[in-house]
Amino acid sequence: MNSFVYDIPVKVYFGENQLSHLGEELSRYGKRVLLTYGGGSIKKTGLYDAVVSEIKKAGLEFYELSGIAPNPRIESVREGVEICKRENIDVLLAVGGGSTLDATKWMAAGACVEHDPWEFFSQWAPVEKALPVLTVPTLAATGSEMDAGGVISNPETQDKIGRVAKPLLPKVSFLDPTNTYTVSPYQTACGAADMMSHIMEVYFNMETDLYMLDCFMEGMMKTIIKYAPIAMKEPENYEARANLMWTSSWAINGFTHGGKQQEWSCHPMEHELSAIYDITHGLGLAILTPRWMEYCLDETTVSKYYQFGVNVFGIDASLEPMAVAKESIEWLSKFFFETLGLKRTFTEVGIEKKNFAVMAKKACGGDVLLGFKPLRQQDIEQIFEMCL
Amino acid sequence: MNSFVYDIPVKVYFGENQLSHLGEELSRYGKRVLLTYGGGSIKKTGLYDAVVSEIKKAGLEFYELSGIAPNPRIESVREGVEICKRENIDVLLAVGGGSTLDATKWMAAGACVEHDPWEFFSQWAPVEKALPVLTVPTLAATGSEMDAGGVISNPETQDKIGRVAKPLLPKVSFLDPTNTYTVSPYQTACGAADMMSHIMEVYFNMETDLYMLDCFMEGMMKTIIKYAPIAMKEPENYEARANLMWTSSWAINGFTHGGKQQEWSCHPMEHELSAIYDITHGLGLAILTPRWMEYCLDETTVSKYYQFGVNVFGIDASLEPMAVAKESIEWLSKFFFETLGLKRTFTEVGIEKKNFAVMAKKACGGDVLLGFKPLRQQDIEQIFEMCL
């Protein structure tokens, strides 16, 4: 069992009507705010007005950057950095989905360096500091509101790269489940698949670690399985939206990791898909995950599948471990492709075989992905083929 | 479902050999350290020497206060306050069990005010600030290393009072499971009962709240039930000690509370027992909890017992809820009194009927304890009688 450091000092206001604290929290960090958001849906829902009203009430000056797209581009980050520098921004406020939050974090880091922000990804330039970031998420999925990571795409180089750096951790996040009421059933399903994957990337691990963390992960997976279908059918079900929202934060804020060292598997593979095909991240993960599970199942890994099947799906513990393992993959597939109604294959979403070699090579960094099972280029190509 | 604020910025170094970070962490807060500890067992185990060596390596000046007793007294707090003031202490380092940690937190608060520290309890004097506190716990039980509370006894007034105040939250805690290897089987059992109670006080609640938090609490209870007997039989079982240690912190750091408003029940009752009889806190809780559950069980509360019985003890979900509920109390009693080997009755630990009325009145503050079920003096007296 490895040692670890737990350090997640994000303050969270959870629930309805907490936005009245926004002004006081922003004010702790300065006077000049950059408000960032996506395609403008927050104007339709009234969230934009509510946020702006709180900023004004607190007597803060603010600038805006809108139009941050899903799978956010380095170009948006560059724009934000430019505003931060030009307008001497003190604090950034990201209102939107994971893409807006991720892009904003990298603007905050980019504002503190002289070089182009893509160098954080292309050259792994150090992230020593960042401007403070506050967030108001409108989607339960990426967990960006409580973690120190952000994923940025570069269409020119067909790269989509995630990186974690402590200074990117938001200072304060406002999690209001009602802000996710307008998320479509499809995006709710993709968000659920994304969260499941965040948990499974850590849970499927043969390192000895803390049982209490496994229990927590099983509880979160049960929560997603219970509430995602409810939120799809009843978009304004507060209980469902609240459970999904708090789970999305805890699925990836680092708590579940404990001392585990293992790399993630499905996320690096998926990033290559959406770098080229621009598909929704959660959808890509849903297609990949059960096939990856099939590929990794053998006598050395079966015990983890057994634990998953029994504790998450309630499969009969008296069955043979291998039978439980296979059944657990079926249950997960049923959840993704029947209950959530997501597409099951690459073919259905227009991903063709021709790019497999390139994508697989990139996913393992040209060498090996040290995930649940070590995956080399040919392993990843095989998993891709299983997804066709 | 109520809104809530999550804000637990405690940094935790978890695992073996993390003490090498102690000097750097203390140095963030100043140069003059007050090291506090209990009866000196840390000198026998070598922990004292290890801590002092790190303090010296960092070039810090340090003072000591030892002899902090279980159920820590206000007198120890006063002594610590005096040293802090006299020696211009910058930061306190508590090494020991929950009693040492609790007393140290209140020294840190007392050092920032002019009045006697007992006024924090007798007059509810405001706690606006405190000196920074770092902790090295040697027991998995109270969770004091990651919460903002502390319980102090006053033998003169026969009071034992707990109070929570944000400035008391430790800055950094070093959780090394090997520091709990020397905890006796009996104290390990009492610690396990204390943790179980911390979870159950929140879990047994009829307010609508987050299912994901219930799952987390069930996972922690299963962790305690699985590992406490192992730690008793194999005191140097790292896996068992590590699971108990991280669970003890998360059982009471506030995460499980979500938006629940309900007061605690067994803790206020137990505090009256140990205020007069000075019994171990966890033992008092073990005796009280199953009887309190019996007293509160009825048609309006049975669903919570059912959930507890099925999800924590694996009782057959197809049985009648009331049958599951009763069986769950039996399972818990079996765990406390057979597996952990704790005494089952007040009579066995020398608690007599003569003080019941006084203790019951104090426990409900002379009015009503708004716990799982509202408890007035006569209710509490009845629960006490059931414990005889």
Side-chain angles (χ1 to χ4, degrees):
Chain A
M1 196 182 292
N2 294 307
S3 297
F4 59 87
V5 178
Y6 173 88
D7 190 20
I8 310 176
V10 184
K11 182 174 183 178
V12 173
Y13 287 89
F14 192 97
E16 288 185 277
N17 309 320
Q18 296 266 35
L19 221 52
S20 55
H21 300 279
L22 180 61
E24 101 205 30
E25 292 292 349
L26 282 169
S27 300
R28 287 186 213 280
Y29 301 99
K31 280 268 162 214
R32 301 168 70 83
V33 180
L34 175 60
L35 168 63
T36 60
Y37 53 99
S41 65
I42 63 165
K43 291 202 170 166
K44 279 182 232 140
T45 61
L47 180 57
Y48 174 85
D49 288 339
V51 164
V52 166
S53 151
E54 294 298 329
I55 294 174
K56 287 184 177 163
K57 236 187 275 172
L60 305 170
E61 237 180 286
F62 77 103
Y63 299 83
E64 293 188 41
L65 174 63
S66 65
I68 299 167
N71 292 324
R73 316 300 160 85
I74 189 64
E75 207 38 52
S76 293
V77 177
R78 289 184 182 124
E79 276 180 71
V81 169
E82 210 234 300
I83 300 174
C84 287
K85 290 181 174 176
R86 193 178 62 223
E87 307 296 351
N88 278 314
I89 294 297
D90 297 314
V91 51
L92 293 90
L93 174 63
V95 183
S99 300
T100 297
L101 272 53
D102 280 8
T104 306
K105 287 170 170 179
W106 287 107
M107 292 171 203
C112 299
V113 295
E114 290 307 310
H115 61 72
D116 178 73
W118 185 246
E119 290 182 22
F120 289 128
F121 303 95
S122 60
Q123 326 258 325
W124 227 241
V127 185
E128 278 156 13
K129 55 183 180 171
L131 294 178
V133 174
L134 279 71
T135 83
V136 183
T138 58
L139 182 71
T142 68
S144 198
E145 65 279 2
M146 210 178 176
D147 78 7
V151 182
I152 301 296
S153 294
N154 187 339
E156 277 173 45
T157 57
Q158 291 198 327
D159 281 311
K160 180 177 176 181
I161 304 178
R163 184 174 174 192
V164 173
K166 189 74 203 298
L168 302 183
L169 202 63
K171 300 292 182 198
V172 186
S173 288
F174 291 81
L175 272 58
D176 180 347
T178 70
N179 286 337
T180 65
Y181 280 177
T182 53
V183 176
S184 69
Y186 170 67
Q187 285 296 343
T188 301
C190 291
D194 191 16
M195 287 186 243
M196 280 296 285
S197 176
H198 292 157
I199 300 163
M200 293 176 70
E201 297 268 22
V202 179
Y203 183 82
F204 278 85
N205 192 312
M206 303 309 289
E207 294 174 56
T208 309
D209 205 63
L210 292 160
Y211 169 82
M212 74 89 92
L213 295 176
D214 269 19
C215 290
F216 182 46
M217 288 188 267
E218 289 159 4
M220 287 197 291
M221 289 191 275
K222 286 197 290 182
T223 301
I224 297 163
I225 291 164
K226 178 180 166 100
Y227 286 110
I230 298 174
M232 289 172 71
K233 278 188 214 94
E234 305 165 28
E236 306 204 352
N237 184 310
Y238 187 85
E239 184 181 321
R241 294 297 193 181
N243 272 285
L244 293 173
M245 194 159 215
W246 205 206
T247 299
S248 80
S249 302
W250 285 86
I252 194 177
N253 69 7
F255 177 49
T256 62
H257 263 264
K260 291 182 280 287
Q261 300 294 311
Q262 173 185 295
E263 283 186 79
W264 288 22
S265 302
C266 292
H267 272 67
M269 291 194 274
E270 198 291 321
H271 286 174
E272 300 310 320
L273 306 182
S274 44
I276 296 185
Y277 296 97
D278 204 19
I279 65 166
T280 300
H281 178 53
L283 172 61
L285 290 167
I287 299 172
L288 279 165
T289 301
R291 303 293 85 80
W292 163 75
M293 286 177 73
E294 278 168 13
Y295 192 80
C296 296
L297 177 59
D298 62 27
E299 287 304 326
T300 67
T301 58
V302 66
S303 60
K304 200 73 208 189
Y305 293 72
Y306 175 84
Q307 184 191 341
F308 173 68
V310 170
N311 294 344
V312 176
F313 289 110
I315 298 170
D316 183 352
S318 68
L319 296 175
E320 282 297 310
M322 194 52 84
V324 173
K326 287 180 180 159
E327 210 177 303
S328 78
I329 300 174
E330 276 168 42
W331 274 102
L332 184 72
S333 299
K334 215 168 159 167
F335 174 66
F336 283 155
F337 309 125
E338 295 176 27
T339 311
L340 300 185
L342 292 169
K343 296 207 164 103
R344 189 187 290 266
T345 63
F346 281 180
T347 316
E348 287 171 85
V349 299
I351 295 175
E352 310 137 303
K353 199 171 165 169
K354 66 172 183 195
N355 289 311
F356 282 3
V358 176
M359 296 193 303
K361 192 172 176 185
K362 265 190 163 178
C364 64
D367 183 14
V368 57
L369 194 57
L370 292 169
F372 182 44
K373 266 195 131 173
L375 300 175
R376 296 183 179 276
Q377 183 181 331
Q378 63 270 31
D379 300 302
I380 299 174
E381 281 186 61
Q382 263 188 270
I383 294 169
F384 285 163
E385 298 225 1
M386 292 161 72
C387 293
L388 277 172
Chain B
M1 198 181 293
N2 294 307
S3 297
F4 59 88
V5 178
Y6 173 89
D7 190 19
I8 311 176
V10 183
K11 182 173 183 179
V12 173
Y13 287 88
F14 192 96
E16 287 184 277
N17 308 321
Q18 296 265 34
L19 221 52
S20 54
H21 299 279
L22 180 62
E24 103 206 26
E25 293 293 348
L26 282 169
S27 300
R28 286 185 213 280
Y29 301 100
K31 281 269 164 214
R32 300 167 72 81
V33 180
L34 175 61
L35 168 63
T36 60
Y37 52 100
S41 65
I42 63 165
K43 291 201 170 166
K44 278 182 233 140
T45 61
L47 180 56
Y48 173 86
D49 288 339
V51 164
V52 166
S53 149
E54 294 299 329
I55 294 174
K56 286 183 177 164
K57 237 188 274 173
L60 305 170
E61 236 179 288
F62 77 103
Y63 299 83
E64 294 187 39
L65 174 63
S66 64
I68 299 168
N71 293 323
R73 317 298 160 85
I74 189 65
E75 206 39 52
S76 293
V77 176
R78 289 186 183 122
E79 276 180 70
V81 168
E82 210 233 301
I83 301 174
C84 288
K85 289 181 175 174
R86 192 178 64 223
E87 307 295 351
N88 278 314
I89 294 297
D90 296 315
V91 50
L92 293 88
L93 174 62
V95 182
S99 300
T100 297
L101 273 52
D102 281 8
T104 306
K105 288 171 170 179
W106 286 108
M107 292 172 204
C112 299
V113 295
E114 291 307 310
H115 61 73
D116 178 73
W118 184 245
E119 289 183 22
F120 289 129
F121 302 95
S122 60
Q123 326 258 326
W124 226 241
V127 185
E128 278 155 12
K129 54 183 180 174
L131 294 178
V133 174
L134 279 71
T135 83
V136 183
T138 56
L139 182 72
T142 68
S144 198
E145 65 279 2
M146 210 179 178
D147 78 7
V151 182
I152 301 296
S153 294
N154 187 339
E156 279 173 44
T157 58
Q158 291 199 325
D159 281 312
K160 179 178 176 180
I161 304 178
R163 183 172 175 193
V164 174
K166 189 72 202 297
L168 302 184
L169 203 63
K171 300 293 181 198
V172 185
S173 288
F174 291 82
L175 272 59
D176 180 346
T178 69
N179 286 337
T180 65
Y181 281 176
T182 52
V183 176
S184 69
Y186 170 67
Q187 285 297 343
T188 300
C190 291
D194 191 17
M195 287 186 243
M196 280 297 285
S197 176
H198 293 158
I199 300 163
M200 293 176 70
E201 297 267 23
V202 178
Y203 183 82
F204 279 84
N205 192 312
M206 303 308 289
E207 294 173 55
T208 310
D209 204 62
L210 292 161
Y211 169 82
M212 72 90 92
L213 295 176
D214 269 19
C215 290
F216 181 47
M217 288 187 268
E218 289 159 3
M220 287 197 291
M221 290 190 275
K222 286 197 288 182
T223 301
I224 297 163
I225 292 165
K226 178 180 165 97
Y227 285 109
I230 298 174
M232 288 172 72
K233 276 189 215 92
E234 305 164 28
E236 305 204 353
N237 185 310
Y238 187 85
E239 184 181 321
R241 295 295 193 182
N243 272 286
L244 292 174
M245 194 158 216
W246 206 208
T247 299
S248 80
S249 302
W250 285 87
I252 194 177
N253 69 7
F255 177 49
T256 62
H257 262 265
K260 291 182 280 287
Q261 301 294 309
Q262 172 185 296
E263 282 184 77
W264 288 22
S265 302
C266 292
H267 271 67
M269 290 192 276
E270 198 290 321
H271 286 174
E272 298 312 321
L273 305 184
S274 43
I276 296 185
Y277 297 96
D278 203 21
I279 66 166
T280 301
H281 179 52
L283 172 62
L285 290 167
I287 299 172
L288 278 165
T289 301
R291 302 294 84 82
W292 162 74
M293 287 177 73
E294 277 168 14
Y295 192 80
C296 297
L297 176 59
D298 62 28
E299 285 305 327
T300 68
T301 57
V302 67
S303 59
K304 201 73 208 188
Y305 292 73
Y306 175 84
Q307 184 192 341
F308 173 69
V310 170
N311 294 345
V312 176
F313 288 111
I315 298 170
D316 183 353
S318 68
L319 297 175
E320 282 298 310
M322 195 51 85
V324 173
K326 287 180 181 158
E327 210 176 304
S328 77
I329 301 174
E330 277 169 42
W331 274 102
L332 185 72
S333 300
K334 214 169 157 162
F335 174 65
F336 283 155
F337 309 125
E338 295 177 26
T339 311
L340 300 185
L342 292 169
K343 296 207 164 103
R344 190 187 287 266
T345 63
F346 281 179
T347 315
E348 287 171 84
V349 299
I351 296 176
E352 310 136 305
K353 200 171 164 171
K354 66 172 184 196
N355 289 311
F356 281 3
V358 176
M359 296 193 304
K361 193 172 175 185
K362 265 190 164 176
C364 64
D367 184 13
V368 58
L369 194 58
L370 291 169
F372 182 44
K373 266 193 130 175
L375 300 175
R376 296 182 180 278
Q377 184 181 332
Q378 64 270 32
D379 301 302
I380 298 174
E381 281 187 60
Q382 263 189 268
I383 294 170
F384 285 163
E385 299 227 1
M386 291 161 73
C387 293
L388 277 172

